[in-house]
Amino acid sequence: MRKTKQREVILKVLGEHRDHPSADIIYEEVRKFLPRISLGTVYRNLEIMSEAGTIMKLETGGSIKRFDPFPDPHPHFRCIKCGAIEDLPFKIDDSLFTGNTEEWAHGRAVQNLNIEYTGLCIKCNGNSTS
Amino acid sequence: MRKTKQREVILKVLGEHRDHPSADIIYEEVRKFLPRISLGTVYRNLEIMSEAGTIMKLETGGSIKRFDPFPDPHPHFRCIKCGAIEDLPFKIDDSLFTGNTEEWAHGRAVQNLNIEYTGLCIKCNGNSTS
DNA sequence: CTGAATGCAAAGCCTTTGCATACGG
DNA sequence: CCGTATGCAAAGGCTTTGCATTCAG
């Protein structure tokens, strides 16, 4: 994996986000530093870095993929109204992960446990408008 | 919500599935009974019934939405290779759901907890091919 | 009757991809 | 130098939507 300016800036921009931005958001921000970068490059690099384990791709909540600078699985809260995804302040401990896994694993290779609470975020819960 | 032939057959077809089919799969099967049904109708009805709480829409695992005849949240296992989604034989108990919720809820309206294990299903784990 | 539901086809949205060019090691 | 990475634009895949027509209540 080559070290390119584009890759570097994408990673830096993502790393400053705690709100799990989409490729499009990242693209817009990276353009401030590299005005000639293409959306395709952003997608390609996010994909490559996800596979390499440098970052993590979140595929929950519909067709828009979001990215997380922390590759280790951790619990999220997703707002069903505005789509915001927040990190939750606790870890998935091993006992929860392995908990009952052996009861049903039977030939499966269980790798990760994703925990996602859904509901209304603080902002959307406050605005009862609509 | 009117009771139409299309809606009825869609619900019946979905109800016989335990493998969380996509709209497209459902469409193909419903066509055996209603050859003139349109894909748009299938999408519209799946959406309507999801909102009504009759069925459940699963939005994990990328852009393809899948549907579950059981609207109550329950744990799933998703194969990262073939995309299969299986139900897991245990329930999300209330203690797990409410567990530490109050510690971070703070003005949020927490509604559901989605638990999804990922890895390789039995078939894909067996076929080391590719 | 009347409005919700349908069929059809087009449009939408996000993401991926082909290809010639540029550039990192 | 060589092959990976980029920019550009077109294509792709799934889902949604507009509109005239049909049908359930």
Side-chain angles (χ1 to χ4, degrees), chain A residues 2-3 23 39-40 43-44 47 63-65:
Chain A
R2 259 183 206 171
K3 184 166 79 178
L39 186 53
Y43 273 103
R44 260 183 302 234
E47 184 63 33
S63 49
I64 301 176
K65 294 177 180 119

Side-chain angles (χ1 to χ4, degrees), chain A residues 114-128:
Chain A
N114 300 317
I115 292 194
E116 182 193 60
Y117 286 85
T118 56
L120 297 173
C121 70
I122 295 178
K123 200 184 296 179
C124 291
N125 198 27
N127 303 346
S128 16

Side-chain angles (χ1 to χ4, degrees), chain A residues 23-83:
Chain A
D24 200 59
I25 301 279
I26 296 168
Y27 171 60
E28 289 303 335
E29 284 192 34
V30 169
R31 278 220 285 184
K32 295 175 189 166
F33 303 97
L34 302 171
R36 298 193 51 75
I37 198 174
S38 77
L39 186 53
T41 296
V42 172
Y43 273 103
R44 260 183 302 234
N45 278 312
L46 289 171
E47 184 63 33
I48 289 171
M49 289 190 288
S50 295
E51 281 176 5
T54 313
I55 63 175
M56 185 169 61
K57 177 162 56 171
L58 304 177
E59 307 194 272
T60 68
S63 49
I64 301 176
K65 294 177 180 119
R66 292 160 149 269
F67 296 87
D68 192 321
F70 301 106
D72 297 313
H74 51 274
H76 290 111
F77 175 83
R78 175 164 58 87
C79 178
I80 58 172
K81 189 167 163 191
C82 72

Side-chain angles (χ1 to χ4, degrees), chain B residues 101-117:
Chain B
T101 306
E102 57 274 5
E103 290 177 19
W104 52 266
H106 301 125
R108 278 173 269 255
V110 185
Q111 296 173 350
N112 279 319
L113 169 59
N114 299 316
I115 291 192
E116 183 193 59
Y117 286 85

Side-chain angles (χ1 to χ4, degrees), chain B residues 2-4 23 39-40 43-44 47 57 63-65:
Chain B
R2 264 186 203 169
K3 184 166 77 178
T4 66
L39 185 55
Y43 272 104
R44 259 183 302 236
E47 184 63 33
K57 177 162 57 170
S63 50
I64 301 175
K65 292 174 180 123

